[in-house]
Amino acid sequence: MSDQPAQLLGQKFCEALDLDFETTFRYQFVWHDSAHALPGFGTRAFGGRYLHVSPELHVTEITSREGTPLGLVLGRAIDADGTLLGERIRLGLSASAPDLASGVEAWVKWLGGRYAVLLDLPGDTPVRRAYHDPLGSFGLVYDPHNRRLATSLLLCLDRDIDPSPNYRLHNDVLADPQLAELLPDFDPDLPPGGFGFGETADRHIRRLLANRYVDLTDFAERRFWPMDEGFAPLSMPDAAEIVVHRLRQMMKPIVTDLSGYFAISGGRDSRMLLAACPDMTGSDLKLYCYANNYITTLDLRVAEELAAQVGQPMLSQVPGDGFRGSFLPRRRRAIPLRHRFAVASGLMHMGDDWWQRGFARKLDAGGVWVRGNFLEIATARWWPRRPGTRDEDMAFALERIRIGLGDAADRARKMEQLRAWANSFSYDHDRHFHDFTYMDLTTAPPQANFHGYNHMFYLPPGSDRLIFRTSMQVHWKSRQRTRFYDEIMRQLDPDMHAIPLARPAAYQSRGTGIGAAEFLEQKISDYHAAKTA
């Protein structure tokens, strides 16, 4: 181990851009072979190396039944029994059990939330592994050559970026004059962003795919789910009952034990979460909705009805000069926010206009930010409208998994990567191909952005394997036609289910001669009339 380690690249970027390191890398960590003086970060020994952790990132110590340390959970996780992990979790496993590793892995499989699990299991040959949550929403990256692990690219490197041969950074990142001075040259003919198949902006640094772990002894990436997992078909009522139970398990401790914001909208996904909540009276979790474009004004109107349904106030966030406005008095005030987002996310993005227009700055920092992401598994939104041949499925998936695509040669190369992934594990192609492309390939790359949205700790209750497995046991056509969603909502809260959806109302208003907002108000009036009839 070096006595005088080189600065992490994230430190250099923060110094050059006049950013506060601790704030920029809030809720992040890095596991390194050298001890670094990272401003505000704590340091602890782990697995024979140094683990540097943001003071605001929640850490749970995992022990055996005898109290032997087994590892750590970083972030927020809820176990199979619906328990939000606190400062310590004692597993019912002996540290001397020959099947300790498989027993701990079985426990990890059914954790929901947003987290990383680092294991350091005792034995003649220590087992050291890094897992992350079911959808890869925590966004782990690792350096297989120098054997380092981190939450984002600029914490993993203590050298300059060695540009990817397959992707370049997004245009807005490359066009920023202050960032450009810190960046290497990327091939302008490469497609921008959308780093797929575990690639990052650096040719050597890998992003951990969902449902895999990194062996921290040889830094090989291995799949652990599904292996022999059963996906036998279930009836919609039976599957909905399981999903409803798990959603309630997830939401109860979030509502009861955590503080922050619960972002609701006029759509389906956050509605399922809200309907699964226990009584929110006295909760420190605030309902929240915002409007930053026309369609989100419709979302906000429906969210008001949802909040009234559960009898709770809601923070409605709209700039004083309307949804096109900003919470920043001058556009230059957005520059530090753009830089902070880019550095925190590993140069994945500069932040959307919600971030750049200062919405987050008007919210209380800290706590959690609950969103309905990933529950589109219940509506099979990543499936094509019509079944196709395997080649057609592959072509559809290549366009849908959010990767940058260039010329014909680039597309052919990435198609081979997709085929290699598709052939790397066993599953029923006709029933689950598009579910697994969504879970394995689509979700993890953009989740790195949530290291940028770090005013609060992003927490998606839909990141849960039981929810995914059970939803996948319902035929995709029934999910895509929203029949499965309808059944889930009928079991959760039929009255809330009857509240109109924002975007369908806007679509239905076309050709009626009535504006979308007025049409939605008519639908809401009809809902109230039917409720009181």
Side-chain angles (χ1 to χ4, degrees):
M1 297 185 184
S2 172
D3 294 330
Q4 294 181 325
Q7 270 194 320
L8 298 183
L9 194 55
Q11 291 175 280
K12 294 181 179 180
F13 271 68
C14 284
E15 290 177 3
L17 299 170
D18 196 25
L19 298 174
D20 178 73
F21 180 90
E22 183 178 342
T23 302
T24 301
F25 290 101
R26 180 183 280 144
Y27 307 122
Q28 298 201 45
F29 74 82
V30 56
W31 186 65
H32 205 282
D33 52 350
S34 300
H36 286 265
L38 302 184
F41 273 41
T43 302
R44 64 196 298 167
F46 183 84
R49 295 188 175 198
Y50 300 95
L51 181 64
H52 304 286
V53 184
S54 163
E56 295 181 70
L57 180 61
H58 186 268
V59 178
T60 299
E61 296 181 355
I62 312 168
T63 73
S64 70
R65 69 184 182 208
E66 304 93 348
T68 303
L70 301 179
L72 304 169
V73 181
L74 300 103
R76 286 295 186 179
I78 296 168
D79 70 13
D81 297 323
T83 301
L84 177 70
L85 301 190
E87 302 300 316
R88 185 172 288 102
I89 180 71
R90 186 186 296 266
L91 304 184
L93 301 167
S94 173
S96 60
D99 59 349
L100 177 62
S102 60
V104 175
E105 183 171 270
W107 174 76
V108 170
K109 282 181 186 179
W110 306 111
L111 293 176
R114 180 169 175 256
Y115 58 83
V117 176
L118 307 184
L119 298 184
D120 185 13
L121 306 183
D124 294 336
T125 303
V127 174
R128 291 174 178 152
R129 297 175 182 173
Y131 299 79
H132 58 176
D133 60 76
L135 279 300
S137 68
F138 203 65
L140 291 179
V141 296
Y142 63 95
D143 183 340
H145 301 286
N146 293 307
R147 301 192 173 186
R148 295 165 185 166
L149 179 78
T151 41
S152 59
L153 180 66
L154 301 186
L155 287 185
C156 203
L157 292 171
D158 56 10
R159 56 166 173 78
D160 290 336
I161 293 171
D162 188 354
S164 164
N166 295 321
Y167 304 88
R168 61 179 169 86
L169 297 174
H170 279 294
N171 292 334
D172 57 350
V173 177
L174 294 172
D176 183 275
Q178 290 175 271
L179 285 174
E181 291 182 3
L182 304 171
L183 295 172
D185 292 330
F186 283 81
D187 184 344
D189 294 328
L190 292 174
F195 300 92
F197 306 107
E199 296 187 53
T200 70
D202 186 278
R203 71 173 65 231
H204 304 292
I205 306 301
R206 299 282 303 168
R207 182 172 302 284
L208 180 60
L209 295 181
N211 301 311
R212 301 188 185 190
Y213 69 83
V214 178
D215 188 318
L216 298 179
T217 58
D218 62 5
F219 273 72
E221 186 173 324
R222 297 183 174 91
R223 176 176 288 278
F224 73 96
W225 192 87
M227 299 301 281
D228 54 356
E229 192 74 21
F231 289 86
L234 282 175
S235 70
M236 277 196 293
D238 288 347
E241 185 176 355
I242 295 170
V243 170
V244 164
H245 177 69
R246 184 56 177 163
L247 287 173
R248 286 176 172 155
Q249 277 191 321
M250 295 291 288
M251 293 309 298
K252 183 178 179 180
I254 292 173
V255 167
T256 304
D257 300 331
L258 298 178
S259 64
Y261 297 92
F262 177 7
I264 61 175
S265 73
R268 295 182 176 89
D269 301 337
S270 62
R271 185 175 307 208
M272 283 188 274
L273 295 182
L274 184 62
C277 288
D279 183 359
M280 296 185 70
T281 303
S283 173
D284 291 326
L285 194 68
K286 304 180 186 73
L287 298 182
Y288 164 72
C289 191
Y290 66 94
N292 66 339
N293 55 41
Y294 178 71
I295 193 65
T296 53
T297 64
L298 306 184
D299 276 329
L300 195 150
R301 179 66 187 92
V302 174
E304 290 173 346
E305 294 293 325
L306 296 174
Q309 174 72 16
V310 296
Q312 294 299 308
M314 182 185 74
L315 171 61
S316 301
Q317 199 181 29
V318 187
D321 49 349
F323 65 80
R324 293 187 178 88
S326 174
F327 287 102
L328 300 176
R330 295 181 297 278
R331 290 180 61 87
R332 287 189 59 80
R333 294 285 296 275
I335 294 174
L337 292 176
R338 290 164 57 87
H339 288 162
R340 176 177 145 192
F341 191 103
V343 173
S345 67
L347 305 174
M348 291 289 289
H349 207 269
M350 298 285 276
D352 62 12
D353 69 351
W354 179 87
W355 178 258
Q356 294 184 21
R357 287 157 61 183
F359 282 73
R361 295 175 75 249
K362 293 295 182 180
L363 303 178
D364 296 331
V368 295
W369 187 30
V370 179
R371 290 180 46 146
N373 296 59
F374 311 131
L375 287 174
E376 53 262 77
I377 186 65
T379 50
R381 226 168 294 169
W382 251 250
W383 279 79
R385 287 293 175 186
R386 298 177 185 82
T389 65
R390 292 208 174 194
D391 285 345
E392 288 170 338
D393 283 344
M394 289 288 178
F396 177 86
L398 192 67
E399 296 292 335
R400 289 282 282 169
I401 59 176
R402 294 176 172 173
I403 64 171
L405 294 172
D407 59 17
D410 182 70
R411 286 171 175 265
R413 180 169 56 252
K414 288 165 184 172
M415 177 60 79
E416 287 306 306
Q417 289 180 293
L418 177 60
R419 292 188 188 282
W421 168 85
N423 295 329
S424 67
F425 66 111
S426 298
Y427 58 96
D428 185 324
H429 177 95
D430 292 339
R431 290 177 59 216
H432 298 311
F433 173 74
H434 297 291
D435 292 324
F436 278 121
T437 58
Y438 172 64
M439 194 175 189
D440 274 22
L441 302 178
T442 306
T443 57
Q447 295 312 305
N449 287 337
F450 282 100
H451 288 306
Y453 296 115
N454 62 6
H455 204 65
M456 294 79 70
F457 184 78
Y458 164 56
L459 180 58
S463 180
D464 181 82
R465 285 190 182 87
L466 182 60
I467 292 173
F468 264 71
R469 185 186 71 180
T470 305
S471 297
M472 290 164 65
Q473 291 177 268
V474 175
H475 197 280
W476 66 269
K477 285 185 180 179
S478 295
R479 287 183 279 145
Q480 193 177 68
R481 292 168 183 168
T482 72
R483 294 173 183 171
F484 185 48
Y485 162 80
D486 292 340
E487 181 61 32
I488 291 171
M489 287 301 300
R490 275 193 289 268
Q491 293 189 25
L492 281 170
D493 189 331
D495 286 342
M496 188 180 293
H497 183 37
I499 296 173
L501 295 157
R503 282 163 175 76
Y507 179 79
Q508 292 162 16
S509 71
R510 297 175 182 176
T512 65
I514 302 173
E518 183 181 352
F519 187 86
L520 176 60
E521 286 299 334
Q522 289 184 6
K523 299 273 285 185
I524 291 173
S525 295
D526 293 344
Y527 157 73
H528 284 293
K531 190 176 179 181
T532 56

